[in-house]
Amino acid sequence: MARMPGPPGAPDAQPGAGSPEARELTAAVTRLRRALRASIRTEYPWEQLPMAQVELLQVCVEHSPVRVSELAARQRLAQSTVSGLVATMVLNGLVTREVDSEDRRAAAVSATDAGRLRLAAWTRAHERRLEHALTALPDADRAALRTALPALARLAARLEDADGEGR
């Protein structure tokens, strides 16, 4: 079987080389994200905020003010990409961009009230969509998901910690 090349400098990846749990979780998370993204646009057509902007807005709401360089590092995006996204978000009134008070060479980004309201509406729409899907599941599936939530939160924290070590 041919090996699949990875990014430059990375070892070649063998398809399906991960554990069954990692493969299944990857597939489930990917499907959930795709389904949520598609359903939110279908059922709530007013929501046209691109996912990259949603994710930046989430960081801004949690950490305002935050430097553009920190946004880029947290999202693993090029600083120029984040600057472009922030510029669009400033034009749309979702964030403000000002000179950082601690380092006049840097820009600090903060969520506006409109940005916070937009993110809250986005979150509520996703929660409604998930609630609708959850209520259609059997009790045993809902109980299994409820039981898995703390472990999923710990997994997310572990992944965030691992990302932070690489910075």
Side-chain angles (χ1 to χ4, degrees), residues 68-140:
V68 171
S69 59
E70 177 67 12
L71 281 170
R74 284 180 177 276
Q75 299 308 112
R76 297 185 158 244
L77 295 170
Q79 194 164 337
S80 60
T81 301
V82 171
S83 289
L85 288 166
V86 167
T88 300
M89 294 168 72
V90 167
L91 286 173
N92 292 329
L94 301 174
V95 298
T96 59
R97 180 181 180 148
E98 299 173 357
V99 173
D100 189 313
S101 60
E102 294 178 19
D103 181 355
R104 310 249 345 129
R105 297 168 297 171
V109 181
S110 297
T112 63
D113 288 343
R116 290 174 189 281
L117 288 171
R118 183 82 178 266
L119 182 60
W122 182 92
T123 300
R124 281 191 308 275
H126 274 78
E127 288 171 353
R128 281 191 305 268
R129 180 68 181 124
L130 279 168
E131 182 65 28
H132 184 280
L134 284 167
T135 58
L137 291 176
D139 290 343

